[in-house]
């Protein structure tokens, strides 16, 4: 039987599937850089049906959990406290131990904003007016929250109202539509492949969604269009290839992963995240442009 030292502090990433997760690479690098020699970070296969029981089994040595699909909504429901961002999005990718239970947060919002900023896309810019969010689930609501958070710094009297088009296979989830409208965004819903003349596309669906790309706009006349596909792994997705062929600037899902993890590290450890050490560890196993160099896998 494995004996856990009394002073050990434990963290992990949960989800299904989870074997491909790169979160251990990031968090372990942070622990080393911060000198947290008794901290551990692992991964565990947990689905929505097993989540409640798995969470109940955690003892006081557990400090924090990172949550990926399909656990972001059930994680929020299990928390005794939640940040405004988690409540607004109806989803949590982070649980941190507090008195009486768990605090829920959603650091994906910061990850999306930072990944776009890395390629010069400022969500507060007047140039980002027409946005497409592909999908309408938990990560789509994080994208909506990122747009909403940047809205306060825009001069709404001087620019056109920002519109977001939710591109979905069937119907957009009503809670996502309601969140966008509550944030003051104009909302449209389109079928997959009905691309508007967008400045920014944020895709939150897997490559298997089969997005039609024939009508994806082409960049011309010096206009900058930016595409963030939150998926990453073994190579470029069809959407990334299509965007690159049509002149779009590509933001990277691995950058979103990195920056959302820095917020998680700060929440779990109470210390500033060592961004440089985490980035070095991540990009040692991830190709700078497209995919995973080793079998370490995705999020």
């Amino acid at each position: 039987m494995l004996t856990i030292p009394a002073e050990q502090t434990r963290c992990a990433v949960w989800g299904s599937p989870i074997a491909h997760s790169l979160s251990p690479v990031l968090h372990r690098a942070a622990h080393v850089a911060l000198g947290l020699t008794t901290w551990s970070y692992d991964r565990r296969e947990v689905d929505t049906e097993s989540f409640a029981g798995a969470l109940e089994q955690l003892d006081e040595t557990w400090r924090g959990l990172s949550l990926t699909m399909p656990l972001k909504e059930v994680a929020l429901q299990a928390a005794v406290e939640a940040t405004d961002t988690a409540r607004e999005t109806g989803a949590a990718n982070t649980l941190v131990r507090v008195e009486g239970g768990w605090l829920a947060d959603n650091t994906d919002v910061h990850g999306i904003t930072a990944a776009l900023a890395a390629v010069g896309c400022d969500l507060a810019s007047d140039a980002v007016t027409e946005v497409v969010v592909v999908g309408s689930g938990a990560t789509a609501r994080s994208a909506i929250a990122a747009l909403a958070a940047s809205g306060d710094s825009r001069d709404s009297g001087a620019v056109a109202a920002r519109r977001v088009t939710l591109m979905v296979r069937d119907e957009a989830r009503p809670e996502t539509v309601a969140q966008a409208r509550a944030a003051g965004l104009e909302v449209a819903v389109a079928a997959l492949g009905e691309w508007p003349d967008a400045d920014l596309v944020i895709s939150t669906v897997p490559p298997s969604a089969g997005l039609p790309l024939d009508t994806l706009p082409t960049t011309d006349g010096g206009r900058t269009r930016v595409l963030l596909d939150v998926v990453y792994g073994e190579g470029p997705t069809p959407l990334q290839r299509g965007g690159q062929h049509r002149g779009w600037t590509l933001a990277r899902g691995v950058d979103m992963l990195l920056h959302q993890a820095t917020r998680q590290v700060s929440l779990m450890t109470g210390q500033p995240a060592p961004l440089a050490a985490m980035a070095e560890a991540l990009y040692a196993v991830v190709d700078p442009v497209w995919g995973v160099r080793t079998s370490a896998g995705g999020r």
Side-chain angles (χ1 to χ4, degrees):
M1 174 181 286
L2 176 65
T3 300
I4 305 298
E7 69 276 11
Q8 184 165 4
T9 302
R10 306 170 75 181
C11 304
V13 57
W14 287 6
S16 182
I18 202 62
H20 61 288
S21 177
L22 282 178
S23 291
V25 172
L26 288 161
H27 285 259
R28 291 168 183 170
H31 295 166
V32 171
L34 294 172
L36 301 176
T37 57
T38 62
W39 284 58
S40 66
Y41 190 100
D42 297 299
R43 59 171 69 89
R44 178 175 175 181
E45 183 85 13
V46 179
D47 58 20
T48 53
E49 289 73 23
S50 60
F51 175 78
L55 190 69
E56 187 177 357
Q57 293 172 1
L58 301 187
D59 61 24
E60 294 299 321
T61 65
W62 284 87
R63 173 61 179 166
L65 294 173
S66 307
L67 293 313
T68 186
M69 297 302 292
L71 301 178
K72 295 181 180 181
E73 292 167 328
V74 295
L76 177 61
Q77 296 166 7
V80 297
E81 299 179 30
T83 64
D84 290 342
T85 302
R87 283 192 293 267
E88 177 186 347
T89 57
N93 74 333
T94 311
L95 289 177
V96 178
R97 175 81 72 179
V98 293
E99 185 175 353
W102 299 91
L103 166 71
D105 197 6
N106 184 344
T107 68
D108 281 339
V109 178
H110 172 68
I112 289 169
T113 302
L116 292 170
V119 295
C121 180
D122 179 3
L123 289 182
S125 169
D126 296 347
V128 182
T129 298
E130 186 79 36
V131 181
V132 174
V133 175
V134 186
S136 63
T139 306
R141 292 196 297 276
S142 296
I144 297 296
L147 294 170
S150 66
D152 293 340
S153 58
R154 303 175 86 226
D155 183 357
S156 59
V159 298
R162 176 172 284 170
R163 182 168 70 166
V164 59
T165 298
L166 297 172
M167 186 177 289
V168 293
R169 183 177 301 280
D170 297 311
E171 295 184 359
R173 293 178 62 167
E175 60 268 35
T176 307
V177 174
Q179 176 201 354
R181 287 177 175 160
L185 301 171
E186 293 184 6
V187 182
V189 178
L192 294 183
E194 294 181 356
W195 299 98
D197 188 25
D199 307 300
L200 170 65
V201 169
I202 302 173
S203 177
T204 68
V205 301
S208 59
L211 281 174
L213 300 174
D214 292 348
T215 58
L216 182 67
T218 298
T219 296
D220 52 24
R223 179 179 180 181
T224 299
R225 302 182 195 265
V226 178
L227 187 156
L228 170 61
D229 193 336
V230 304
V231 174
Y232 66 92
E234 295 301 325
T237 65
L239 178 58
Q240 288 170 324
R241 288 196 297 266
Q244 186 179 46
H245 178 70
R246 290 164 175 80
W248 289 63
T249 298
L250 302 184
R252 302 186 302 174
V254 289
D255 289 329
M256 175 187 168
L257 174 69
L258 169 64
H259 290 286
Q260 65 81 29
T262 63
R263 285 289 176 91
Q264 289 184 332
V265 166
S266 295
L267 286 166
M268 293 178 189
T269 68
Q271 300 186 48
L275 175 60
M278 295 171 69
E280 181 180 4
L282 178 63
Y283 298 129
V285 297
V286 177
D287 184 277
V289 178
W290 291 121
V292 177
R293 284 186 175 132
T294 73
S295 60
R299 182 155 148 197

